Amino acid sequence: GARRYLDRGASFQALRLACEGLAEEPDQVELLAVATEAAWRLDFQQEALEHARRWVGLAASERDRIDAQRYVGRLSIEMCDEPGAQAVIDELAHAAGRYAADGDLAAQARAEAAVAQLVMLRHDDAAVEWAERAIEHARSAADRAIEVQARVERASALLSRVSREEA
């Protein structure tokens, strides 16, 4: 039910239900993902960061690990923790290289898109390059959702250089 509440935009109800579930099943990764996103949407940054860090530690799949790290990095940026944000960006960039070496294009694209988002939030021009790599690898992996995310990150980064229509 927590995911359905979140998908409907009922962030407070989603967070409450996810936390109730986590009280019974503290290692439930899906509930940690919902709690992280719901708390972030509500601007409960510290709570979101706590859930995201637990999510990183319990993530069994690379997809979950990357998504959780992206939240940790994003929250670090929003909370002005530059060293923390840089550490996450470095970890994700390293992971993208590791996935490339392993031939896992889907995980590589997801990690690259996460880096693109984080460096875009820091107003770093490298976001465009990261996004373009993510787009290319997401297309090769047939991961439309990551391709779209990376296109949004690229457009967001380009807004400081070109018109909105061009971006």
Side-chain angles (χ1 to χ4, degrees):
R3 172 59 64 189
R4 282 194 303 269
Y5 275 125
L6 189 63
D7 291 344
R8 289 192 340 230
S11 300
F12 187 79
Q13 289 84 354
L15 178 60
R16 191 182 90 224
L17 191 55
C19 288
E20 287 176 13
L22 287 167
E24 293 180 26
E25 288 285 332
D27 296 343
Q28 221 289 337
V29 173
E30 176 60 22
L31 289 175
L32 285 168
V34 170
T36 298
E37 186 173 346
W40 173 73
R41 287 183 187 184
L42 291 164
D43 203 26
F44 298 167
Q45 293 175 326
Q46 190 59 47
E47 183 175 354
L49 185 58
E50 290 168 15
H51 291 305
R53 286 183 173 146
R54 288 196 54 234
W55 180 16
V56 169
L58 294 170
S61 71
E62 294 306 315
R63 176 185 178 136
D64 271 342
R65 187 177 285 67
I66 294 165
D67 290 349
Q69 286 178 304
R70 181 176 55 85
Y71 270 106
V72 170
R74 182 176 186 116
L75 286 156
S76 295
I77 291 167
E78 291 174 3
M79 296 170 74
C80 300
D81 176 7
E82 285 302 317
Q86 188 60 52
V88 172
I89 291 168
D90 292 344
E91 287 174 29
L92 286 166
H94 179 73
R98 191 175 66 246
Y99 300 135
D102 294 344
D104 187 347
L105 285 175
Q108 180 183 358
R110 184 174 290 276
E112 291 167 341
V115 172
Q117 182 181 88
L118 297 176
V119 296
M120 177 275 300
L121 290 171
R122 293 169 78 186
H123 308 288
D124 186 332
D125 289 339
V128 175
E129 296 164 26
W130 279 102
E132 287 174 352
R133 281 184 272 189
I135 292 165
E136 177 186 336
H137 297 129
R139 282 182 184 150
S140 296
D143 190 332
R144 182 76 175 133
I146 293 300
E147 179 185 347
V148 170
Q149 177 194 343
R151 290 171 58 106
V152 168
E153 306 310 347
R154 180 180 63 188
S156 296
L158 285 171
L159 280 175
S160 64
R161 295 192 233 168
V162 298
S163 71
R164 182 180 174 120
E165 293 75 29
E166 288 178 86

